[in-house]
Amino acid sequence: MEKTVKVAIQGVLGSFHHQVAQQYFGEQLEVFGFHTFEEVARSVEEGIVDYAVMAIENSIAGAILPNYDIIDRHALYVVDEHYLPISHNLMALPGQELATIREARSHPMALLQCKHFFAQHPEIKAVDDVDTAYVAKVIAEQKIKGLAAVASTKAAEFYGLEILARDIQTVANNFTRFIILSKEKPILKMPPTKASLKITVRNEKGVLAKLLTVMSEFDLDLTKIQSIPVMSKPWEYTFFIDTLIADEKQFGEAMKQIEAKYGAVKILGEYQNRK
Amino acid sequence: MEKTVKVAIQGVLGSFHHQVAQQYFGEQLEVFGFHTFEEVARSVEEGIVDYAVMAIENSIAGAILPNYDIIDRHALYVVDEHYLPISHNLMALPGQELATIREARSHPMALLQCKHFFAQHPEIKAVDDVDTAYVAKVIAEQKIKGLAAVASTKAAEFYGLEILARDIQTVANNFTRFIILSKEKPILKMPPTKASLKITVRNEKGVLAKLLTVMSEFDLDLTKIQSIPVMSKPWEYTFFIDTLIADEKQFGEAMKQIEAKYGAVKILGEYQNRK
């Protein structure tokens, strides 16, 4: 018998995070939902769970942009990435019909991604809420009629709601990127094709341009960059960078040159590019 | 008599946003609190308010990183910036003493910034909540004893709470950067010394390094950069960039070159650097 894997996620069960945890780890898992991403990271750090699944890049939950900072502060390791196609569905208590729905609640970004659907259904008022799956939970628990949630198929399944309209998002081919986190650096079975980095540089003229030119010369192709002012040192900046790796040796050489000339490099994770 | 200025903020009254609105616009103002940043932007777009005050860069509320994207989508204009020193204070119902406090609630980042204080007071349990001022509001309204909020002096004043410990943050000289937004581009009285840009580039090898090299050559000093994948075009990236402007003509020339060679430039605002 396989060992049950313990996985931490932010938010309630039935969320996109929950869906990714099952896709990635299979059914033999125990999922722990935490209120904040900070608590998720802490649960990995303290060994309460084996892994965390964390959204890191997308358009649905704005609040995920600071997650690299959380990963850094809790000394976690990015072991893999996973892409989930965004699929928003309108769901309500079983037996309800689309014509009886007067209001739909969800995360503001989810509602925004379904704006064409709501333009076609002006009788349904779209109202911002804190989360997608949370609304599904409340509707199911309090048996609220006339109200719908915009959430994942997983949420409908988990809370026993009926889907009244499927895939109501405006943009097709839109994915959310999740990362898998652990406390320990894993032993790599294959050469990594992607890495997440934290680089702290002095605020010298053009230092970022120079640093990125080095990366480009060593065939490192950036997929994400984000600056964070260093709290305790007003003139220093930290950059969180994701990069594709064409050749592992070139990657090592680039990091060496950046360390020598431009700033301190911390590798948050080396893993396989899944896109 | 001066006209009352209508200003939108995210969150409840007594927040850091409220504090900044008063510092910037003076007392002759009417403040409207909205649940989400999205609603704040919409209220400016629809002319319900004259301005919005929005946190854009700091370490206290992670959720603010996506705010440039919101500004862009609602076609708002950045008219100015404002820095507020971060000051966290422990507050409770009047008449309470520090020794009787068993729990303190606040935004996770606020609690983190006060970790030395809580290490010195192990008898007070620090618990994550959604907001700083919101906790102060709940304590005041429900008259909860033994519970403290970690929030601004404004929150204590606004909700009639007593400050039991002042400036309990660990890091000194830490500021939150706010921006002032309007629907119309204002007439500049002085040459701008800072700008907020949205630049959308093709995902070509080293394009960001080249673009930043151009900026550096024209004496533009970056203070912020953030990449956002373009939702509908999987191979394109958008960068939100803030830059100091040494010379307005050089700035114009750099933007012209970037437009010609690397991508589309949208100026979100040109204003005075206040740092």
Side-chain angles (χ1 to χ4, degrees):
Chain A
M1 207 183 100
E2 266 189 83
K3 190 179 157 279
T4 297
V5 180
K6 290 182 182 171
V7 179
I9 62 168
Q10 186 269 334
V12 299
L13 299 186
S15 64
F16 290 107
H17 279 101
H18 189 183
Q19 205 166 355
V20 169
Q22 282 193 335
Q23 284 182 9
Y24 191 84
F25 292 103
E27 295 292 328
Q28 195 74 0
L29 91 167
E30 202 178 340
V31 176
F32 296 74
F34 291 91
H35 190 57
T36 63
F37 284 112
E38 203 72 45
E39 289 166 300
V40 168
R42 217 178 293 140
S43 74
V44 182
E45 195 181 26
E46 293 171 358
I48 296 165
V49 297
D50 304 308
Y51 296 97
V53 167
M54 202 182 254
I56 196 77
E57 219 170 277
N58 78 350
S59 32
I60 178 196
I64 64 178
L65 280 170
N67 281 353
Y68 270 134
D69 184 51
I70 293 175
I71 292 161
D72 173 41
R73 276 192 282 102
H74 290 276
L76 302 185
Y77 205 83
V78 183
V79 301
D80 210 342
E81 63 174 11
H82 185 90
Y83 289 86
L84 184 77
I86 288 179
S87 161
H88 294 307
N89 306 276
L90 192 84
M91 57 195 69
L93 284 177
Q96 298 255 290
E97 275 172 41
L98 192 55
T100 63
I101 302 300
R102 288 287 157 269
E103 190 173 304
R105 289 183 171 265
S106 192
H107 189 282
M109 285 307 287
L111 296 176
L112 193 78
Q113 290 177 356
C114 303
K115 64 178 175 189
H116 287 193
F117 176 85
F118 288 109
Q120 284 162 6
H121 294 85
E123 73 282 5
I124 304 176
K125 195 182 165 200
V127 177
D128 291 352
D129 211 313
V130 290
D131 185 30
T132 57
Y134 174 76
V135 178
K137 183 173 187 266
V138 169
I139 290 172
E141 284 177 358
Q142 301 178 15
K143 303 199 191 310
I144 304 171
K145 286 183 183 175
L147 178 65
V150 174
S152 68
T153 53
K154 180 84 206 158
E157 182 199 317
F158 198 82
Y159 295 111
L161 298 185
E162 211 169 282
I163 294 177
L164 300 177
R166 255 174 220 280
D167 284 321
I168 61 169
Q169 69 277 5
T170 305
V171 179
N173 293 319
N174 193 8
F175 288 80
T176 299
R177 178 178 172 232
F178 292 81
I179 48 178
I180 316 298
L181 297 167
S182 77
K183 201 179 164 178
E184 310 291 347
K185 181 176 174 170
I187 295 151
L188 296 178
K189 289 168 195 155
M190 289 184 279
T193 53
K194 194 167 182 181
S196 296
L197 312 168
K198 178 194 175 192
I199 306 180
T200 304
V201 300
R202 279 217 147 268
N203 188 15
E204 288 168 6
K205 182 173 148 59
V207 65
L208 182 60
K210 289 174 194 164
L211 188 164
L212 296 184
T213 301
V214 169
M215 292 187 67
S216 175
E217 280 165 5
F218 283 98
D219 269 341
L220 300 173
D221 196 8
L222 258 67
T223 61
K224 181 194 169 88
I225 182 165
Q226 191 183 305
S227 67
I228 305 272
V230 178
M231 240 201 282
S232 48
K233 296 171 184 169
W235 295 104
E236 285 188 12
Y237 280 83
T238 286
F239 297 97
F240 289 109
I241 292 176
D242 283 351
T243 181
L244 300 180
I245 300 172
D247 177 280
E248 209 184 345
K249 270 189 199 157
Q250 290 212 304
F251 172 67
E253 192 50 48
M255 293 306 107
K256 222 190 281 175
Q257 288 204 11
I258 290 170
E259 274 275 7
K261 291 185 195 165
Y262 305 117
V265 177
K266 177 183 172 186
I267 296 175
L268 301 175
E270 292 168 282
Y271 47 94
Q272 296 303 309
N273 173 30
R274 305 287 183 184
K275 203 172 185 176
Chain B
M1 207 183 103
E2 264 190 86
K3 191 177 157 280
T4 298
V5 180
K6 291 181 181 172
V7 179
I9 62 168
Q10 186 270 335
V12 299
L13 298 186
S15 64
F16 290 108
H17 280 100
H18 188 181
Q19 204 164 357
V20 170
Q22 283 192 334
Q23 284 182 8
Y24 191 84
F25 292 103
E27 295 291 328
Q28 194 75 359
L29 91 167
E30 201 178 342
V31 176
F32 297 74
F34 292 92
H35 191 56
T36 63
F37 284 112
E38 203 72 46
E39 290 167 298
V40 169
R42 216 178 294 140
S43 74
V44 183
E45 194 180 27
E46 293 171 359
I48 296 165
V49 297
D50 304 307
Y51 296 96
V53 167
M54 202 182 255
I56 196 79
E57 220 169 275
N58 78 350
S59 32
I60 178 195
I64 64 177
L65 279 170
N67 281 353
Y68 269 133
D69 184 51
I70 294 176
I71 292 161
D72 174 42
R73 276 191 283 101
H74 291 276
L76 303 185
Y77 205 84
V78 184
V79 301
D80 210 341
E81 64 175 11
H82 185 90
Y83 290 86
L84 183 76
I86 289 179
S87 161
H88 294 307
N89 307 276
L90 192 83
M91 57 195 70
L93 285 177
Q96 298 255 291
E97 275 171 42
L98 193 55
T100 64
I101 302 301
R102 288 287 157 267
E103 190 174 304
R105 289 183 171 264
S106 192
H107 189 282
M109 285 306 289
L111 295 177
L112 194 78
Q113 290 177 358
C114 303
K115 64 179 175 189
H116 287 194
F117 176 84
F118 288 109
Q120 285 163 4
H121 294 86
E123 72 285 4
I124 304 177
K125 195 183 166 201
V127 177
D128 291 352
D129 210 312
V130 290
D131 185 31
T132 56
Y134 175 75
V135 177
K137 183 173 187 266
V138 168
I139 291 173
E141 284 177 358
Q142 301 178 15
K143 304 202 191 306
I144 304 170
K145 287 185 181 172
L147 178 66
V150 175
S152 69
T153 53
K154 180 84 206 160
E157 181 198 316
F158 199 81
Y159 295 111
L161 298 185
E162 211 169 283
I163 294 177
L164 300 178
R166 256 173 218 281
D167 284 321
I168 61 170
Q169 69 277 4
T170 304
V171 179
N173 292 319
N174 192 9
F175 288 80
T176 300
R177 179 179 171 232
F178 292 80
I179 48 178
I180 316 299
L181 297 166
S182 78
K183 201 179 164 178
E184 310 290 347
K185 181 175 172 170
I187 295 152
L188 296 177
K189 289 170 196 154
M190 290 184 278
T193 52
K194 194 166 184 182
S196 296
L197 312 169
K198 178 196 177 193
I199 306 180
T200 304
V201 300
R202 281 216 147 269
N203 188 14
E204 289 168 7
K205 183 173 147 57
V207 65
L208 182 61
K210 289 174 195 165
L211 188 162
L212 296 185
T213 302
V214 169
M215 291 186 66
S216 175
E217 281 165 5
F218 284 98
D219 271 342
L220 300 173
D221 196 8
L222 259 65
T223 60
K224 181 193 170 90
I225 181 165
Q226 190 182 306
S227 67
I228 305 273
V230 178
M231 242 201 280
S232 49
K233 296 172 184 168
W235 295 106
E236 285 189 9
Y237 280 81
T238 286
F239 296 97
F240 288 110
I241 292 175
D242 283 352
T243 181
L244 301 179
I245 300 172
D247 178 281
E248 207 183 348
K249 271 190 195 156
Q250 290 211 305
F251 172 66
E253 192 51 48
M255 294 305 106
K256 223 189 280 177
Q257 288 204 11
I258 290 170
E259 274 276 5
K261 292 184 195 167
Y262 306 117
V265 177
K266 177 183 172 187
I267 296 175
L268 302 175
E270 293 168 280
Y271 46 94
Q272 295 305 310
N273 173 32
R274 305 287 182 184
K275 203 172 185 175

